[in-house]
């Protein structure tokens, strides 16, 4: 099992999860985070830390595409290990549907 970040993170990018991750497996895009599925040790400490409820175990239904999505972008984006402020629109976008199609950016974040 591994944990993955889903589209609930897009346009929010809360980083509370990166502070508690013992193996630094989060990677930063311009407007979301992903988890490298091969680096995640399945400890689960990140899941309750996410204010947007964007982190899910891969054992939930329909997570296969998110595992591959997280794998792809974790290999392109820089690692992030330090908490940062969420995006300015985070509160307005939290819980919005269709964020992958509306807001996702393939651009890398700054990392750090």
């Amino acid at each position: 099992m591994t944990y993955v970040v889903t589209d609930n993170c897009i346009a929010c990018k809360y980083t509370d999860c990166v502070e508690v991750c013992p193996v630094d497996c989060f990677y930063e895009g311009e407007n979301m985070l992903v988890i490298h599925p091969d680096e995640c040790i399945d400890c689960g400490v990140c899941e309750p830390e996410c204010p947007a409820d964007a982190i899910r175990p891969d054992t939930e239904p329909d997570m296969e595409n998110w595992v591959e999505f997280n794998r792809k972008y974790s290999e392109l984006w820089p690692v992030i290990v330090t908490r940062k402020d969420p995006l300015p629109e985070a509160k307005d976008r939290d819980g919005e549907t269709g964020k992958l199609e509306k807001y996702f950016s393939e651009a890398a974040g700054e990392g750090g």
Side-chain angles (χ1 to χ4, degrees), residues 49-85:
E49 295 299 317
C50 180
D53 194 31
I55 300 172
R56 313 302 315 154
D58 72 343
T59 54
E60 287 189 359
D62 303 317
M63 287 293 121
E64 298 86 11
N65 290 339
W66 285 111
V67 172
E68 291 313 309
F69 181 94
N70 277 246
R71 181 183 315 282
K72 175 182 177 179
Y73 290 102
S74 65
E75 292 174 358
L76 298 172
W77 294 345
V79 69
I80 179 172
V81 297
T82 306
R83 187 183 180 285
K84 298 179 180 181
D85 289 335

Side-chain angles (χ1 to χ4, degrees), residues 85-100:
D85 289 335
L87 295 175
E89 66 270 20
K91 287 185 182 177
D92 296 332
R93 300 280 183 246
D94 189 4
E96 186 176 329
T97 59
K99 294 193 323 181
L100 183 62

Side-chain angles (χ1 to χ4, degrees), residues 18-31:
V18 302
E19 279 194 323
V20 298
C21 180
V23 293
D24 301 335
C25 64
F26 281 89
Y27 292 79
E28 184 183 14
E30 180 179 40
N31 67 356

Side-chain angles (χ1 to χ4, degrees), residues 6-27:
T6 65
D7 58 342
N8 291 348
C9 184
I10 298 169
C12 292
K13 198 165 85 168
Y14 292 101
T15 57
D16 306 62
C17 52
V18 302
E19 279 194 323
V20 298
C21 180
V23 293
D24 301 335
C25 64
F26 281 89
Y27 292 79

